[in-house]
């Protein structure tokens, strides 16, 4: 077992996870807002922010899909050791980690059912950078309009059209994070 | 006594429980007004004392937070005091009675008078989260009704109110529609508070412990009280001024003060009332703050 498999978790589990969750909650409640996610040091190429999301939300109850670029023995071992999450196929994933290109097509992730729209996947998308510019966001959580550097607009418009079903997105770049719930209307 | 933080995990709940609640909270925020099922835990207080709100607060609390807890608007009632002390002991978190200084406010049956800000989270304690429950007792049916957006029964109920009483008699837990999709129970807040939920800058989270449901209203979200064109929604209040601070626009509690039927009306929001009295406002039965 690699030494880095065991290291890189939260130093103060309960308090670090609490702070990380508030960042994710705030990001999801205010689409377009960008937050700092500190505390995790996962093996590359998993970003510190994506690692912190995994430590905060994943556990043995949440099947995780890892994109091929992330499915290295180091990352898989780190996730298994720190979260205990089972790695599985896209169709069963509650969380999926990868780049935007690898996560496409989005159609085979669970989007929930009419009676249980919450039984849908959350995609944790690794991006090269995050900036409050680009696509125009409107909807719940946004005072008038917000802007976020999204990889494209069309896929999110298609996702929003499924409402109340659909996927929810967390975007990570380095130690920074933003989110996009299914309610947000995205215009390119 | 030993240091409590050594005996309990931060904010009482174990980490796996918090992760389960946190995942439910994120889905609740993503689907405004939809009730997310969650595996509610036994808490060291009885059901009906705010176990749902306590679990939501425990999952959201960070060491940097400043917590305020109110029960029917008051900071000094048994329920509010015991929940505040619970988090002081288990999370070592700062507390306050001032609405503007709090980062998280847990509430039973009121929304504070003072407008909330973008930096705040309001956590509601909810007894019965299902707005259709008294019209349809079967969970399997109400779930279908939400899925199909079939809310006709609720309008029939409000119509029957009008037919019997001449107006919509529902005074608290008045049903709302969130972002044009889900009909939601705002918890038993007076309908006076309903307009404050609409386009609110703060994040609103709802926890029902016994019924095992979590739901949410994100900031700046449309929350509309159900009504009819010819019987529009009205947010009522007692036609009095607060006897202590003289406020003419706050929600009032009626207090019996003697055996002859004498009564007074006072602000239900104790922080609002105290702030006004400290600023020099005095009601009909009040004493100027300098002499109190």
């Amino acid at each position: 077992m690699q030494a880095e498999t065991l290291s890189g978790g939260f130093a103060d589990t309960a308090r670090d996870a609490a702070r990380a969750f508030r960042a994710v909650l705030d990001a999801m409640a205010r689409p377009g807002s960008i937050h700092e996610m500190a505390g995790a040091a996962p093996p590359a190429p998993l970003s510190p922010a994506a690692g912190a999301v995994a430590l905060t939300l994943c556990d043995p109850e949440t099947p995780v899909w890892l994109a091929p670029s992330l499915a290295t023995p180091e990352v898989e071992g780190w996730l298994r050791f720190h979260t205990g999450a089972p790695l599985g196929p896209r169709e069963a994933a509650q969380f999926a980690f990868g780049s935007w290109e690898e996560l496409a097509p989005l159609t085979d992730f669970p989007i929930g059912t009419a009676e249980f729209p919450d039984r849908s996947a959350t995609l944790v998308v690794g991006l090269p950078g995050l900036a409050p510019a680009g696509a125009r966001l409107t909807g719940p959580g946004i005072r008038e309009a917000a802007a976020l550097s999204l990889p494209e607009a069309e896929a999110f418009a298609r996702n929003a059209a499924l409402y109340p079903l659909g996927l929810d997105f967390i975007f990570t770049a380095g130690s920074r994070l933003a989110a996009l719930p299914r309610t947000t209307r995205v215009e390119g | 006594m030993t240091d409590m933080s050594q005996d309990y995990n931060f904010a009482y709940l174990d980490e796996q429980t918090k992760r389960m609640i946190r995942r439910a909270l994120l889905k609740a925020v993503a689907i405004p007004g939809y009730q997310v099922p969650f595996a509610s835990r036994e808490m060291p207080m009885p059901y009906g004392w705010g176990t749902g709100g306590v679990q939501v607060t425990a999952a959201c609390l960070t060491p940097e937070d400043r917590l305020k807890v109110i029960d029917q608007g008051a900071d000094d009632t048994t329920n509010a005091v015991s929940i505040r002390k619970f988090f002081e002991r288990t999370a070592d978190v700062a507390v306050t009675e001032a609405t503007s200084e709090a980062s998280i406010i847990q509430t039973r049956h009121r929304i504070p008078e003072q407008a909330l800000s973008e930096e705040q989270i309001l956590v509601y304690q909810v007894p019965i989260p299902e707005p259709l429950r008294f019209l349809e007792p079967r969970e399997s049916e109400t779930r279908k009704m939400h899925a199909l957006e079939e809310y006709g029964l609720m309008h029939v109920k409000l119509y029957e109110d009008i037919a019997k009483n001449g107006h919509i008699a529902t005074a608290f837990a008045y049903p709302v529609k969130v972002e044009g999709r889900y009909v939601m129970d705002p918890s038993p807040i007076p309908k006076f508070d309903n307009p404050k939920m609409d386009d609110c800058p703060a994040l609103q989270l709802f926890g029902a412990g016994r019924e095992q449901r979590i739901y949410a209203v994100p900031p700046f979200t449309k929350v509309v009280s159900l009504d009819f064109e010819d019987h529009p929604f009205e947010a009522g209040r007692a036609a009095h001024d607060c006897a202590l601070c003289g406020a003419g626009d706050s929600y009032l509690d009626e207090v019996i003060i003697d055996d002859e039927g004498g009564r007074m009306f006072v602000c239900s929001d104790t922080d609002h009332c105290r702030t006004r009295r400290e600023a020099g406002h005095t009601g009909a039965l009040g004493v100027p703050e300098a002499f109190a």
Side-chain angles (χ1 to χ4, degrees):
Chain A
M1 186 180 279
Q2 306 277 327
E4 70 173 352
T5 300
L6 306 181
S7 65
F10 287 141
D12 182 352
T13 314
R15 289 168 187 79
D16 286 353
R19 293 187 185 105
F21 172 68
R22 275 293 277 283
V24 179
L25 179 67
D26 217 22
M28 196 62 88
R30 300 171 197 283
S33 63
I34 297 172
H35 302 263
E36 198 63 33
M37 277 291 269
L46 193 64
S47 69
V53 170
L55 295 180
T56 307
L57 297 174
C58 299
D59 61 26
E61 293 172 0
T62 60
V64 167
W65 181 79
L66 276 185
S69 69
L70 291 175
T72 64
E74 290 77 23
V75 173
E76 287 188 352
W78 188 85
L79 270 183
R80 281 212 176 91
F81 176 75
H82 288 281
T83 71
L87 301 176
R90 296 161 75 96
E91 294 75 17
Q94 202 166 339
F95 291 92
F97 294 77
S99 68
W100 182 244
E101 292 73 27
E102 290 176 302
L103 288 163
L106 304 180
T107 43
D108 41 8
F109 292 108
I111 56 167
T113 64
E115 296 186 2
F116 293 96
D118 57 305
R119 295 179 183 174
S120 58
T122 302
L123 308 192
V124 185
V125 187
L127 296 178
L130 275 175
R136 184 173 186 271
L137 315 180
T138 53
I142 303 167
R143 191 189 281 272
E144 275 170 13
L148 188 64
S149 53
L150 295 176
E152 63 167 295
E154 203 198 332
F156 300 107
R158 268 202 306 274
N159 184 57
L162 299 170
Y163 190 80
L165 309 190
L167 304 167
D168 304 306
F169 301 88
I170 295 172
F171 302 101
T172 61
S175 62
R176 282 148 51 91
L177 162 150
L180 200 72
R182 61 194 78 175
T183 46
T184 306
R185 293 177 283 277
V186 179
E187 297 158 82
Chain B
M1 196 173 66
T2 54
D3 178 9
M4 293 303 289
S5 61
Q6 298 288 308
D7 303 335
Y8 285 106
N9 190 31
F10 174 73
Y12 185 77
L13 293 173
D14 61 280
E15 287 307 295
Q16 178 139 5
T17 297
K18 281 194 235 165
R19 277 193 295 271
M20 174 271 296
I21 295 172
R22 286 167 177 164
R23 290 193 295 262
L25 282 168
L26 290 177
K27 289 299 174 193
V29 168
I31 317 166
Y34 166 74
Q35 303 162 50
V36 183
F38 82 111
S40 177
R41 299 295 196 244
E42 291 273 349
M43 297 302 286
M45 59 189 72
Y47 287 132
W49 284 69
T51 55
V54 165
Q55 290 179 77
V56 170
T57 299
C60 291
L61 214 53
T62 70
E64 292 74 37
D65 274 312
R66 188 173 287 274
L67 178 70
K68 170 182 164 84
V69 185
I70 50 174
D71 176 1
Q72 304 266 18
D75 293 275
D76 55 1
T77 52
T78 311
N79 196 196
V81 171
S82 59
I83 291 173
R84 197 162 57 231
K85 286 208 165 134
F86 174 75
F87 282 115
E88 277 188 283
R89 283 178 74 170
T90 59
D92 197 23
V93 72
V95 296
T96 181
E97 293 192 5
T99 302
S100 56
E101 287 172 15
S103 55
I104 296 187
I105 303 172
Q106 181 172 331
T107 176
R108 175 177 173 273
H109 305 185
R110 269 317 304 278
I111 298 176
E113 301 291 351
Q114 188 183 343
L116 301 175
S117 76
E118 292 196 38
E119 284 71 44
Q120 294 178 310
I121 297 178
L122 187 58
V123 178
Y124 295 77
Q125 301 170 199
V126 183
I128 310 279
E130 179 49 73
L132 305 167
R133 183 59 69 234
F134 290 110
L135 308 172
E136 169 52 66
R138 289 166 297 180
E139 168 70 11
S140 55
E141 289 302 308
T142 53
R143 191 160 282 284
K144 233 174 259 161
M145 290 157 78
H146 283 294
L148 299 171
E149 219 176 333
E150 177 49 70
Y151 295 126
L153 202 55
M154 184 59 91
H155 278 104
V156 170
K157 190 255 175 202
L158 295 176
Y159 169 75
E160 284 179 350
D161 254 18
I162 295 170
K164 274 187 204 153
N165 309 305
H167 63 278
I168 297 175
T170 306
F172 63 95
Y174 192 104
V176 295
K177 197 167 206 181
V178 182
E179 203 58 26
R181 178 57 179 83
Y182 284 99
V183 166
M184 185 187 94
D185 182 333
S187 87
I189 57 171
K191 68 176 178 177
F192 173 82
D193 282 341
N194 273 26
K196 298 179 193 165
M197 307 183 84
D198 181 41
D199 208 32
C200 176
L203 170 62
Q204 303 175 74
L205 304 173
F206 299 77
R210 180 180 41 213
E211 302 289 324
Q212 313 198 317
R213 295 292 184 273
I214 283 173
Y215 51 105
V217 175
F220 308 115
T221 296
K222 213 162 108 188
V223 179
V224 179
S225 303
L226 300 182
D227 62 0
F228 299 99
E229 270 175 30
D230 53 345
H231 285 271
F233 171 80
E234 279 171 36
R237 68 184 281 281
H240 294 268
D241 292 342
C242 171
L244 296 179
C245 78
D249 57 355
S250 65
Y251 189 73
L252 301 172
D253 285 339
E254 183 179 358
V255 183
I256 306 293
I257 50 175
D258 55 32
D259 290 343
E260 273 78 58
R263 59 205 176 135
M264 66 193 285
F265 289 88
V266 294
C267 290
S268 107
D269 185 333
T270 52
D271 173 58
H272 179 72
C273 197
R274 192 188 56 237
T275 310
R276 278 181 53 83
R277 275 180 282 132
E278 282 170 1
H281 298 279
T282 308
L285 298 176
V287 180
E289 192 60 24
F291 303 102

